[in-house]
Amino acid sequence: MDITRHDDGSLTIPVIPGRHADDGGDDGVAPTPGPTEMTIRPGEGGYVEALAQWDAQQRPDQEVAVSTASGREQAMQVVHAVAEDREHVADAVAALDDPEAGGEALRHVLVGGTPSVTAFAGEVAEAEGGDPLPPHTATRIIGEVLAEIDGSG
């Protein structure tokens, strides 16, 4: 089952059924299966990792993301622009000189998980001004930007 990204940034992910210890009794009642999927939102445990998996699922033939200096600069610019004006993600992406390089840098950030997103948010604040974004906000913006770059937003 694939991961689904919703317009609000939430992700529906598959749930792998857990193993249950046999309680030793055989009361003839079959165990009730658990949910097969769940929805998580930015800031919830596992969101950054799930977003990285969603992105990889969108580009199955791509190599591992590589961040270049110019790509990182593009990534910081677009995240700052979207943080300032959340209604114009498409405009912020269109203003980039090299959206693909910026997207690769953002993918590289996601692969590093929450610590990487936190550090990146600090770099954005230092380079572009303002306070660092909370990691869940930065992650949501990264997801919106990647969706726009890939044309699925």
Side-chain angles (χ1 to χ4, degrees):
M1 178 158 120
D2 290 338
I3 296 172
T4 304
R5 184 182 173 280
H6 305 282
D7 290 340
D8 67 356
S10 64
L11 300 170
T12 299
I13 61 171
V15 174
I16 299 170
R19 297 173 71 186
H20 301 283
D22 184 13
D23 63 7
D26 185 10
D27 56 11
V29 177
T32 305
T36 58
E37 62 185 32
M38 66 183 278
T39 300
I40 57 176
R41 289 166 180 71
E44 294 180 347
Y47 183 86
V48 173
E49 294 79 4
L51 184 60
Q53 288 178 351
W54 168 82
D55 181 63
Q57 153 190 312
Q58 303 308 301
R59 308 165 339 109
D61 298 331
Q62 295 295 317
E63 303 279 326
V64 174
V66 177
S67 181
T68 63
S70 64
R72 188 109 173 153
E73 185 177 306
Q74 298 280 316
M76 288 190 290
Q77 288 172 1
V78 75
V79 167
H80 178 73
V82 173
E84 293 288 311
D85 184 1
R86 298 288 297 273
E87 297 298 316
H88 296 96
V89 177
D91 293 339
V93 170
L96 295 175
D97 293 331
D98 188 353
E100 292 302 317
E104 285 299 298
L106 291 174
R107 290 178 176 95
H108 193 263
V109 168
L110 285 180
V111 170
T114 302
S116 179
V117 171
T118 302
F120 178 73
E123 288 179 46
V124 171
E126 187 176 311
E128 302 291 332
D131 293 327
L133 296 169
H136 67 277
T137 302
T139 302
R140 175 180 277 174
I141 290 171
I142 290 169
E144 292 171 1
V145 168
L146 290 175
E148 183 63 34
I149 288 171
D150 293 339
S152 61

